[in-house]
Amino acid sequence: MERTLILLKPDAVERRLCGRILTRIEDKGLKLVGAKLLKVTPELSRQHYAEHVSKPFYPQLEAFITAGPVLALCVEGPEAVRVMRELMGKTNGRDSAPGTIRGDYGLSRQMNLIHGSDSVESAAREMAIYFRPEELIDYPLSLGSWMFADDEVK
Ligand code: IDP
Ligand code: MG
């Protein structure tokens, strides 16, 4: 079972798309284990986007991600990291397939609504940035046994 860090970015909050995006995550069968509305500070942005800090587009990215609140989520499921990246679509909304979140709701490379960790290692690093361990809730879903068979989870 995997967990991944999701951010519904300031454009998603501003455009009031959080409910629709969350519905897609729930509909897929992923389980919500953490949720928090917060404002990303420049320092938090540099920590989160460490791999991009030296890139030419970083100042614009920081201005965007700190411009309003984000909804930080931690979701759990089999191969949750890859499953979420596929639900999200490609980075640029113009290149994302219809049916994906970025493909259905946007046209932008920067204002692409949602962040999802790109590997299990990134997920662990990013979850620790946004959530204290006690803010991630372990609980069984009563219909969990109807979502996938036991032998499908590594
Ligand atoms: P990802 O979110 O699909 O993993 P990354 O390449 O890791 O994409 O970029 C992180 C975020 O930085 C993107 O989601 C997008 O908001 C922003 N971004 C990426 N490339 C550019 C760019 O060339 N100009 C402006 N913003 C960008
Ligand atoms: Mg990335």
Side-chain angles (χ1 to χ4, degrees):
M1 203 58 97
E2 283 177 15
R3 287 180 172 181
T4 187
L5 187 278
I6 302 298
L7 294 183
L8 306 191
K9 295 180 179 180
D11 52 338
V13 176
E14 179 67 28
R15 291 174 58 192
R16 294 180 293 187
L17 290 171
C18 291
R20 274 180 270 178
I21 296 172
L22 202 44
T23 295
R24 288 176 179 230
I25 296 171
E26 290 187 314
D27 284 350
K28 184 67 178 171
L30 293 162
K31 179 161 88 174
L32 202 52
V33 295
K36 186 189 283 187
L37 190 72
L38 72 143
K39 266 194 100 173
V40 175
T41 61
E43 187 192 352
L44 184 56
S45 173
R46 286 193 294 275
Q47 218 183 328
H48 176 154
Y49 286 121
E51 63 172 322
H52 296 312
V53 166
S54 57
K55 295 191 182 158
F57 68 80
Y58 180 76
Q60 290 166 273
L61 172 57
E62 185 184 287
F64 162 56
I65 204 72
T66 60
V70 302
L71 184 60
L73 306 169
C74 178
V75 304
E76 183 183 285
E79 296 186 68
V81 170
R82 184 174 68 80
V83 166
M84 273 308 310
R85 292 287 293 191
E86 287 182 15
L87 279 186
M88 288 161 48
K90 292 184 182 168
T91 302
N92 190 329
R94 275 176 243 180
D95 301 329
S96 295
T100 64
I101 293 163
R102 289 167 169 174
D104 283 353
Y105 294 119
L107 286 165
S108 170
R109 181 175 58 190
Q110 181 187 78
M111 298 188 187
N112 57 7
L113 300 160
I114 183 166
H115 166 83
S117 309
D118 63 7
S119 68
V120 173
E121 295 71 32
S122 302
R125 188 185 75 83
E126 293 170 5
M127 281 187 289
I129 293 175
Y130 287 92
F131 292 99
R132 294 194 301 273
E134 66 270 24
E135 292 175 324
L136 301 178
I137 318 286
D138 262 320
Y139 63 101
L141 284 176
S142 55
L143 292 181
S145 61
W146 290 97
M147 300 303 293
F148 42 81
D150 290 345
D151 68 354
E152 294 177 70
V153 189
K154 281 178 235 153

